[in-house]
Amino acid sequence: MILFGYRLPGMSSLLVWGLLWEIVGQSGLTFFVPPLSEVTATLFSIIGTAAFQKALFETAYAFLVGVASAILIGIPVGILMGKSRLLDELLLPWVNVFLSAPLTALVPVLMVLFGFGMKSIIITTALFAIWIIILNSRAGVRQINRSLVEMAHSFGASPVDAFFKIYFWAALPEILGGVRIGIIRAVKGVIIGQLLISIVGFGALFELYSANFLMGHFWAVLIVLFALAFTISEFLAYLERRVAYYAAKR
Amino acid sequence: MAMSQIKEESAPAASAEFESAVSVKNITKNYGDVEALRDMSLEFPRGQLTSLLGPSGCGKTTLLKIIAGLLEPTSGTVEVGGKEVTDPGPDRAFVFQDFALLPWASVIRNVAFGLEMRGVAASEREAIAEKYIKDVGLAGFENAYPHELSGGMRQRVGLARALSVDADVLLMDEPFSAVDEQTRRKFQEDLLALVQNENKTFLFVTHSIEEAVYVSDQIAILLPRPSRVSEIIRPSSFRNKGVDNIRRDPEYLDIVDEIWASLRSYVE
Ligand SMILES: Nc1ncnc2c1ncn2[C@@H]1O[C@H](COP(=O)(O)OP(=O)(O)OP(=O)(O)O)[C@@H](O)[C@H]1O
Ligand SMILES: [Mg+2]
């Protein structure tokens, strides 16, 4: 954006919103919104505490394991669905059901099945992420140019070669798009899981802060989570741009 | 007239003089209700170039893909080097009408793709690929990507890829359709040299009558769907007169006229 002849760096608008936050906070309109300066101060003070670091570590762990399993299972399943009519007929209805299902409602069931701990949170995270990854990988494979498949076949590509050298790359732009959306959903999954189970990670912290009306702490943790989610999403968007050179020309 | 012309009836007898690299026997191909090929039989002499000439949609690509083992015929058989084939094999290489390049791979990786599938080591296949990239006139574009090339250049990448695997039979589906006229003439000359120097069999699809007559040892004229071979023409006298004189040769001109006369009825 250009203002008064100066080129403003990206996300300058955040400054305006930050200022607004500070003003609302200072005015003492509601205890729910403490000034941004206070939140920032709290942020730095709690960031070094053992409770915060433990929460961060547990969340990161659940998130990474959950996302990794969603990706490692989701991409091959999606590609195979795109390739095989039979598998597609079998699985597609389920994928669509789970994609639109209110997964939050499933979390209590998962807790019964897998206990009140890390395992349930990891599975919740994976469940939030995996469906869109499957669906996008499938879509990526289905739009593949038939003549590329014929070409590989004519030069004697084995099914494994075709999978890794044709299907995967041809579907990569869609796959990355799916992974990005999947990861954003996984952020929701990991937090919702923790909130519902509320004895691990940030769930426990949130419980603690909101029960004691520590709004500064509450917002500080929220800012950290938003920033993390945003950074991850931007990184994936960057990867997507890396393959954009052929995405439009397949 | 110094022209040996073989009508359909006498074709089998005449082709007995040659050893066939590829023989197509009673091929029928239906796409659902669409009958693309009906009971087609055709011999492709070893070491020679045979053109398939016919109206659009008459099944030329279909025939080539059946020979390549990419499509299964509804009935009939294909023999390559005397053996019946049903799958692709290293004895055949295909030049695709729509190029079929990997958009995420550089020119050199595209050209080396066939060799990569055959398990040739990276350094070796790149050396081979480089040679053929140069041969088709794309030196300097080794690391370019397909979307950075013009249609004609992409087509040449597809050509280089097919040449690099050194197959006995080259199946070329309109390989020069996207190059400009000058390049096309150059490629036609190069193709003649290739046919002369390498003991390969070329199956060549084209829409251009002149091109077919110019480059072919044998021209098969196909009828519109359901397609059969209507006529086989074997230009005989001008092949050895040098590339520059072919287009002035009376037999060349006669054959062009005659093919036009027999195809004209399908256009009108
Ligand atoms: N996958 C397919 N499904 C149904 N019909 C098909 C299919 N492929 C080709 N056909 C039909 O078979 C006929 C022959 O097609 P083919 O592509 O072999 O023609 P062609 O001679 O190569 O044409 P052109 O010169 O335009 O490339 C066409 O009429 C086409 O409609
Ligand atoms: Mg065709």
Side-chain angles (χ1 to χ4, degrees), chain B residues 60-61 97 173-174 205:
Chain B
K60 303 180 293 292
T61 300
Q97 191 170 2
D173 197 356
E174 298 186 34
V205 171

Side-chain angles (χ1 to χ4, degrees), chain B residues 31 36 55-62 97 174 207 225:
Chain B
Y31 290 106
S56 185
C58 76
K60 303 180 293 292
T61 300
T62 303
Q97 191 170 2
E174 298 186 34
H207 276 146
R225 254 188 17 232

Side-chain angles (χ1 to χ4, degrees), chain A residues 71 75 79 132-133 136-138 140-141 167-169 171-180:
Chain A
I71 290 176
I75 294 177
I79 293 183
I132 189 69
I133 296 179
N136 259 37
S137 308
R138 169 183 178 275
V141 167
Y167 285 98
F168 176 77
W169 286 98
L172 192 58
E174 278 82 7
I175 291 178
L176 282 178
V179 168
R180 187 166 59 83

Side-chain angles (χ1 to χ4, degrees), chain A residues 201-231:
Chain A
F202 285 114
L205 278 188
F206 276 128
E207 188 75 11
L208 185 73
Y209 297 157
S210 55
N212 296 299
F213 299 102
L214 293 167
M215 281 306 148
H217 289 66
F218 176 80
W219 284 111
V221 171
L222 219 54
I223 286 181
V224 170
L225 288 179
F226 280 23
L228 284 179
F230 184 73
T231 312

Side-chain angles (χ1 to χ4, degrees), chain A residues 16-32:
Chain A
V16 179
W17 292 113
L19 203 65
L20 192 66
W21 182 345
E22 182 68 24
I23 292 168
V24 171
Q26 293 289 357
S27 71
L29 216 54
T30 159
F31 84 95
F32 185 67

Side-chain angles (χ1 to χ4, degrees), chain B residues 44-165:
Chain B
F44 298 89
R46 185 180 301 285
Q48 297 193 2
L49 189 150
T50 302
S51 287
L52 301 173
L53 194 61
S56 185
C58 76
K60 303 180 293 292
T61 300
T62 303
L63 178 63
L64 231 51
K65 285 193 174 164
I66 290 173
I67 295 171
L70 292 172
L71 275 179
E72 207 182 324
T74 309
S75 67
T77 55
V78 173
E79 287 178 9
V80 177
K83 280 200 265 313
E84 189 178 332
V85 293
T86 50
D87 286 312
D91 49 354
R92 284 151 290 153
F94 205 106
V95 181
F96 289 85
Q97 191 170 2
D98 61 354
F99 324 143
L101 303 181
L102 307 175
W104 52 85
S106 60
V107 166
I108 191 157
R109 276 199 53 215
N110 265 294
V111 173
F113 183 79
L115 296 164
E116 187 181 343
M117 291 304 105
R118 279 166 208 192
V120 178
S123 59
E124 190 184 339
R125 67 176 185 251
E126 278 181 11
I128 298 174
E130 245 165 55
K131 173 186 175 298
Y132 284 99
I133 290 171
K134 209 158 96 232
D135 282 359
V136 297
L138 284 179
F141 288 94
E142 286 83 357
N143 295 313
Y145 285 83
H147 70 271
E148 300 166 334
L149 306 178
S150 70
M153 292 160 89
R154 283 180 222 177
Q155 201 154 45
R156 288 184 259 167
V157 176
L159 205 58
R161 178 177 59 198
L163 291 173
S164 68
V165 292

Side-chain angles (χ1 to χ4, degrees), chain B:
Chain B
M1 205 156 41
M3 172 167 82
S4 85
Q5 207 191 91
I6 300 150
K7 297 290 177 209
E8 193 180 17
E9 314 81 59
S10 57
S15 59
E17 310 162 15
F18 307 100
E19 186 195 355
S20 284
V22 177
S23 43
V24 166
K25 295 184 173 154
N26 309 99
I27 293 275
T28 297
K29 175 70 187 176
N30 301 331
Y31 290 106
D33 292 338
V34 179
E35 208 177 2
L37 303 175
R38 182 192 285 171
D39 198 27
M40 177 181 283
S41 296
L42 192 54
E43 301 289 326
F44 298 89
R46 185 180 301 285
Q48 297 193 2
L49 189 150
T50 302
S51 287
L52 301 173
L53 194 61
S56 185
C58 76
K60 303 180 293 292
T61 300
T62 303
L63 178 63
L64 231 51
K65 285 193 174 164
I66 290 173
I67 295 171
L70 292 172
L71 275 179
E72 207 182 324
T74 309
S75 67
T77 55
V78 173
E79 287 178 9
V80 177
K83 280 200 265 313
E84 189 178 332
V85 293
T86 50
D87 286 312
D91 49 354
R92 284 151 290 153
F94 205 106
V95 181
F96 289 85
Q97 191 170 2
D98 61 354
F99 324 143
L101 303 181
L102 307 175
W104 52 85
S106 60
V107 166
I108 191 157
R109 276 199 53 215
N110 265 294
V111 173
F113 183 79
L115 296 164
E116 187 181 343
M117 291 304 105
R118 279 166 208 192
V120 178
S123 59
E124 190 184 339
R125 67 176 185 251
E126 278 181 11
I128 298 174
E130 245 165 55
K131 173 186 175 298
Y132 284 99
I133 290 171
K134 209 158 96 232
D135 282 359
V136 297
L138 284 179
F141 288 94
E142 286 83 357
N143 295 313
Y145 285 83
H147 70 271
E148 300 166 334
L149 306 178
S150 70
M153 292 160 89
R154 283 180 222 177
Q155 201 154 45
R156 288 184 259 167
V157 176
L159 205 58
R161 178 177 59 198
L163 291 173
S164 68
V165 292
D166 196 25
D168 292 335
V169 178
L170 276 156
L171 306 160
M172 310 172 103
D173 197 356
E174 298 186 34
F176 305 155
S177 62
V179 297
D180 59 84
E181 185 60 29
Q182 296 89 295
T183 316
R184 195 179 178 122
R185 288 200 173 204
K186 160 115 191 352
F187 275 21
Q188 291 168 358
E189 288 177 12
D190 291 351
L191 185 61
L192 283 180
L194 212 61
V195 178
Q196 285 261 305
N197 302 335
E198 311 231 1
N199 190 27
K200 290 188 198 303
T201 307
F202 294 79
L203 278 60
F204 186 86
V205 171
T206 177
H207 276 146
S208 157
I209 300 175
E210 282 84 3
E211 178 167 276
V213 182
Y214 185 79
V215 298
S216 308
D217 298 300
Q218 166 177 303
I219 304 162
I221 314 259
L222 307 186
L223 292 177
R225 254 188 17 232
S227 196
R228 280 146 300 128
V229 180
S230 87
E231 209 175 323
I232 292 175
I233 296 173
R234 300 190 57 88
S236 59
S237 69
F238 57 75
R239 186 60 63 230
N240 305 319
K241 290 183 182 168
V243 288
D244 296 327
N245 300 320
I246 297 182
R247 287 197 175 82
R248 284 200 293 269
D249 192 272
E251 187 197 355
Y252 168 86
L253 296 169
D254 282 348
I255 297 182
V256 170
D257 272 354
E258 191 206 340
I259 295 177
W260 169 233
S262 62
L263 284 178
R264 167 181 235 152
S265 55
Y266 300 112
V267 183
E268 278 164 357

